Amino acid sequence: CDRIDDWTSTPCDFLVPCANSLAITEEVATNFPEGIRYCVGATNSPFANDKAKEIFDKRGIMHIPESISSAGAILADSVEWYDIDLYQTVEPSLLYGWIRDISAAKASDLADHAEQKPHKVDSRLRNVVPSREGVPVGSDFPDWIDDNTIHTDTVIVGGGLAGTATAFSLSQKGVTSVLLEKGSSLAPPTASSNGDSRMYRKMYSSEFFSKMQAKALDRWEE
């Protein structure tokens, strides 16, 4: 993130008010730089009044209300209400991931139902807001966890020479594995196997390692 001195005069595609409420006044709405496409609420009541929102609407700026885009606490409460044991034991990152996914899906659905026309957003909210009848939305969380869980026999940390060789060898034995690499590619610059100059030797005090080195060269040819 780059610090800006005046957000009201900074061009952007998405405006996400997430600090003070009532920040978008009529003046701000009128003079905000051209090019903005969406105003996504992350604070309660981002508009100072109805007139400020109407100005954005007339400029063709879609407003996704905070009740859709920033309902994380309510969604978490829904999981707690549905399954208190799951709520108390689940890894927080999973709950955050589910909240992000459902918020993004609801926001996208609302924009589609409104036909990308700002003045239709309020009247189409009912199309994406769940009914108060029936089970809470938190009941979907266990299925989301299952859908977003990769089941594997082995987790290999590091995508350098050793990690990729291990994954390759396991695959030949029919063993599934997940290779974790924090870099942008396999054998990234930070990997110990990366570089222009490397030494390869077969001489070891243990016969086992010497045989393994010879076998490794054969495998490399494969």
Side-chain angles (χ1 to χ4, degrees):
C1 295
D2 296 324
R3 179 182 176 85
I4 57 176
D5 294 324
D6 181 13
W7 65 271
T8 65
S9 61
T10 303
C12 63
D13 295 316
F14 283 74
L15 176 63
V16 186
C18 55
N20 296 332
S21 298
L22 313 179
I24 304 176
T25 63
E26 294 176 42
E27 181 181 1
V28 171
T30 301
N31 299 314
F32 201 88
E34 294 293 331
I36 178 175
R37 299 169 55 200
Y38 285 87
C39 176
V40 183
T43 187
N44 294 327
S45 303
F47 293 100
N49 51 44
D50 291 340
K51 181 63 177 178
K53 182 180 181 303
E54 182 182 338
I55 294 172
F56 259 24
D57 286 350
K58 290 182 177 179
R59 292 184 59 185
I61 301 169
M62 289 288 294
H63 171 234
I64 304 299
E66 59 275 12
S67 60
I68 297 297
S69 60
S70 185
I74 296 175
L75 293 171
D77 289 345
S78 180
V79 174
E80 182 181 16
W81 177 265
Y82 175 73
D83 189 336
I84 183 65
D85 292 331
L86 174 62
Y87 178 80
Q88 292 178 337
T89 58
V90 71
E91 175 67 31
S93 61
L94 291 176
L95 186 58
Y96 299 151
W98 174 68
I99 290 173
R100 283 194 299 270
D101 278 4
I102 195 171
S103 298
K106 291 292 185 180
S108 179
D109 286 346
L110 177 58
D112 289 341
H113 281 294
E115 302 172 6
Q116 300 292 330
K117 296 178 179 179
H119 67 278
K120 291 187 176 183
V121 169
D122 290 342
S123 63
R124 304 301 166 85
L125 274 172
R126 64 181 182 274
N127 293 319
V128 298
V129 176
S131 169
R132 293 188 178 186
E133 304 296 328
V135 296
V137 67
S139 62
D140 295 335
F141 185 41
D143 289 337
W144 181 92
I145 293 176
D146 189 61
D147 292 341
N148 288 273
T149 299
I150 299 175
H151 299 276
T152 184
D153 298 317
T154 309
V155 174
I156 302 169
V157 181
L161 186 60
T164 53
T166 300
F168 174 70
S169 181
L170 289 175
S171 68
Q172 290 190 315
K173 297 179 180 295
V175 179
T176 61
S177 61
V178 172
L179 185 66
L180 305 180
E181 171 53 57
K182 68 178 181 180
S184 59
S185 64
L186 295 178
T190 55
S192 61
S193 56
N194 187 283
D196 296 330
S197 177
R198 284 293 180 267
M199 180 180 70
Y200 189 92
R201 63 190 176 97
K202 291 185 178 181
M203 295 182 294
Y204 283 90
S205 57
S206 171
E207 181 182 359
F208 171 78
F209 288 114
S210 295
K211 289 182 177 180
M212 287 291 290
Q213 290 287 10
K215 182 64 176 177
L217 280 179
D218 293 338
R219 297 296 298 275
W220 184 263
E221 292 295 332
E222 298 178 11

